[in-house]
Amino acid sequence: MLLFRCLARAFLFASVALALTISHPQVTRGSINLSFGDLTIKSGSFWSIFDNNISIFKGDIRVKKNAGLFITSTNKLIGLKVELYAGKGSIKNEGLIVFNSLVSLTPSFYKLIGKSFTNKGEIFLISSGCALPTAALLAPKWKNTGSITFYQAKRNNGIVSLGSPGSKIENKGQICLFNQLYKQTTRIVGSGCITADQDSSVFFSNCLMDIDRKQTVYLADSKSSVRAVAIAKPRTFRIAGFGNGNKIGLDLPLFKLLSSPFSYNSRTGILSLRIKGNWGQDFDIGLGYDSRLFKVTTDTSLGLLSVPWGAVKYEGPVPNKQIPSNCRPCKPFPPAPTTTTTTKACSPKSTTSLTTSKTSSPKPTTTSTTSNAQTTITTTWTGTTTRTITETDTPGGTDTVIVEEPTTSNTQ
Ligand SMILES: *[C@@H]1O[C@H](CO)[C@@H](O)[C@H](O)[C@H]1NC(C)=O
Ligand SMILES: *[C@@H]1O[C@H](CO)[C@@H](O)[C@H](O)[C@H]1NC(C)=O
C-alpha cells in the first residue's frame, strides 16, 4: 500500500515536471496538445505550428535569443486561441514570438497570464480583426525592453490589455498598435514608447495610477487618438506626432461656462483640457502649434464610449515631424517558417540559417508581383532576422530580385 502510494506520488511528480525543449527547427501541422508543461526554445531553433485551433500552455514559455515560436492559422475557419493559464508559468522572450490569425474569419483569442512577463525580443500578436478578438499579456510583474506589436487588419471593439489591473507595467521598449485600442489599467513606468498607427487609440482609463512622464504616445497616422479620464489633479502625458486631425480627449464633454475648455501654452508646448475648475488633463504635445487650429470635436473611435465634444483635434500638420528618440520603428511581422530544410551558410560564423519556400505571407506591407512570370519567394530565417527574397523570372526577359529584410534589428 505504502509502495503504491509512493509510486503514485512519483508518477504525479513526473507528470507535473514535464517539459519540452526545442533545440532543432521544427514544424508541426494540425492539432497538438500544448498543455505539457514548460516550453523552452533554444537559440538557433524554432517551432512553427500551423492550424492548431487551441493552444493552451500550462507552464513557462521561454524563447531564447535567436529562437522563434510561431503559431499560425492558414484556415479561415481557425481563429487561433492561445492561452497561458493563470498561475501556471512565466513568459520570458528574448527571441521572436509570432501568433498569426490574420486569415481567419472567426475571432482570435490571445490571453497569456504569466506569473511574470519579460520581453527583450520581439512579439507579434496578429489578428484579422473579425468579430471581437482578445489580446492580453497579463502578469503582475511585467517588463518590456524589446518590441511588442498588436496588429489587426481592421478596428473593432476589442481591447489590448497589459499587466494586471492595479499593478504596474515597465515599458522601456516599444509597443506598436495597428487598428487597436489599448486600455491602460496599471501604473506605467519607464521611458518607452507606444506607437498608435492605422486608426489606433490609447485610453488612459485609470489616471489615479502613476504614468511615467517620459512614457511617450506617438501618433503615427492621422486617425489615431488619445483619451484620458479627467481628474482633479491633472497629469501630464507626453504625446508626439499630434496633428492632421488626431484627437486628444477626456471621458467627459469639454464644456466650460465662462472660458475655453482647452488652452495651449506655446512656451511649454502643453495642451490643457479642462471641464470644470481644474479638472482635466495636460498633454505635452511639443512646440510650434498654432492655437487657431485646435477645434473641439467628438472621438468616435470603436471600442471607446463616444463622448460628445469630448476631444480636441488639430487641423494643421504636425509641427515637429521628428519621431522621438525613444520611439522605434514598428516593423512588419515576419512570416512563419514552413519547412525545416536548413542550408548551412558558408560563412566563418556558424549561424544556423533556414531556407523555406512559402506559399503566402500576409504582411502589413506587401510587394506586388508580376503576372505571367515565375515568382519564387524564399525566406531565410536566422533567429530574429528574417530575410525574404522574391525572385521573379520572366521567360525571355530579365530577372528581378527583391530582397526584403523586415525584421533586421534597428539601430537606435
Ligand atoms: C492535453 O494534455 C494534458 C496533459 O497531459 C491533459 O491533461 C489534457 O487533458 C490534454 N487535453 C486534451 C484536449 O487532450
Ligand atoms: C476550433 O475550436 C472551437 C472551440 O472548441 C470549435 O468550435 C471549432 O469548431 C474549432 N474549429 C476547427 C476548424 O477545428
Side-chain angles (χ1 to χ4, degrees):
M1 194 62 195
L2 186 67
L3 177 70
F4 174 75
R5 219 179 272 163
C6 286
L7 271 176
R9 200 166 291 168
F11 190 74
L12 191 72
F13 181 75
S15 72
V16 167
L18 276 182
L20 181 66
T21 300
I22 302 281
S23 45
H24 299 287
Q26 196 163 318
V27 173
T28 304
R29 290 175 197 278
S31 287
I32 177 172
N33 185 345
L34 296 172
S35 309
F36 44 73
D38 298 346
L39 171 66
T40 303
I41 306 199
K42 284 187 143 176
S43 230
S45 54
F46 68 83
W47 194 6
S48 185
I49 300 167
F50 289 93
D51 298 329
N52 187 44
N53 195 358
I54 300 171
S55 306
I56 295 179
F57 291 98
K58 287 189 179 163
D60 292 343
I61 301 174
R62 293 192 210 99
V63 180
K64 303 282 192 188
K65 231 174 156 176
N66 297 320
L69 172 63
F70 302 82
I71 302 179
T72 312
S73 167
T74 64
N75 180 339
K76 61 182 193 293
L77 298 177
I78 297 179
L80 294 180
K81 179 169 180 167
V82 184
E83 273 192 88
L84 168 61
Y85 278 178
K88 295 287 182 184
S90 299
I91 300 165
K92 188 169 181 192
N93 177 46
E94 297 169 274
L96 180 59
I97 294 180
V98 185
F99 299 154
N100 188 340
S101 202
L102 191 66
V103 300
S104 55
L105 299 176
T106 50
S108 58
F109 185 92
Y110 304 129
K111 189 172 187 180
L112 301 163
I113 311 176
K115 288 186 227 165
S116 70
F117 169 86
T118 314
N119 178 46
K120 295 181 183 172
E122 297 177 4
I123 297 178
F124 295 84
L125 301 188
I126 304 148
S127 164
S128 62
C130 286
L132 194 61
T134 298
L137 294 175
L138 311 176
K141 281 189 207 154
W142 198 103
K143 186 171 179 178
N144 174 42
T145 50
S147 75
I148 308 172
T149 300
F150 297 91
Y151 179 90
Q152 287 192 144
K154 61 172 188 269
R155 178 102 177 232
N156 46 58
N157 287 312
I159 58 170
V160 168
S161 314
L162 306 174
S164 121
S167 69
K168 74 168 184 195
I169 66 166
E170 189 174 346
N171 181 35
K172 291 183 171 164
Q174 177 66 39
I175 295 169
C176 296
L177 306 169
F178 291 91
N179 284 306
Q180 291 279 14
L181 163 64
Y182 161 51
K183 184 176 173 187
Q184 164 271 348
T185 55
T186 64
R187 284 194 289 140
I188 301 180
V189 299
S191 54
C193 179
I194 303 169
T195 296
D197 204 343
Q198 284 183 16
D199 190 11
S200 292
S201 300
V202 175
F203 178 29
F204 295 102
S205 75
N206 189 342
C207 296
L208 296 175
M209 309 220 80
D210 272 333
I211 292 154
D212 203 305
R213 179 77 170 72
K214 294 189 291 295
Q215 185 73 213
T216 305
V217 175
Y218 172 55
L219 302 167
D221 72 330
S222 60
K223 282 180 155 176
S224 292
S225 65
V226 175
R227 181 180 293 181
V229 166
I231 52 173
K233 278 190 188 160
R235 289 187 174 284
T236 306
F237 298 89
R238 193 164 167 223
I239 312 292
F242 181 56
N244 295 314
N246 289 131
K247 292 164 185 169
I248 292 181
L250 301 178
D251 61 325
L252 291 166
L254 290 172
F255 177 75
K256 257 188 143 182
L257 214 49
L258 298 170
S259 58
S260 169
F262 67 88
S263 63
Y264 173 67
N265 185 327
S266 59
R267 200 173 38 79
T268 58
I270 306 258
L271 173 69
S272 301
L273 305 188
R274 295 289 183 272
I275 42 172
K276 59 176 180 185
N278 199 38
W279 276 69
Q281 293 291 3
D282 288 345
F283 300 89
D284 180 0
I285 58 173
L287 303 175
Y289 286 86
D290 179 346
S291 285
R292 293 166 303 180
L293 299 179
F294 292 106
K295 298 274 151 54
V296 173
T297 182
T298 303
D299 185 357
T300 53
S301 300
L302 282 177
L304 283 172
L305 190 69
S306 181
V307 177
W309 311 112
V312 164
K313 68 175 169 183
Y314 186 70
E315 289 183 329
V318 184
N320 180 2
K321 291 193 173 59
Q322 197 162 8
I323 298 170
S325 58
N326 55 330
C327 295
R328 301 185 218 155
C330 293
K331 298 171 193 173
F333 49 88
T338 53
T339 70
T340 53
T341 325
T342 53
T343 49
K344 281 274 185 295
C346 302
S347 62
K349 268 194 268 168
S350 65
T351 54
T352 317
S353 69
L354 149 89
T355 308
T356 65
S357 306
K358 67 186 164 52
T359 42
S360 65
S361 84
K363 280 187 290 176
T365 55
T366 48
T367 49
S368 58
T369 47
T370 333
S371 58
N372 192 6
Q374 184 78 33
T375 303
T376 327
I377 301 170
T378 349
T379 305
T380 315
W381 189 76
T382 52
T384 51
T385 310
T386 306
R387 183 181 162 98
T388 304
I389 303 174
T390 310
E391 284 177 87
T392 308
D393 189 2
T394 320
T398 49
D399 297 349
T400 325
V401 178
I402 301 161
V403 180
E404 233 186 304
E405 298 203 9
T407 61
T408 41
S409 55
N410 63 87
T411 48
Q412 283 280 338

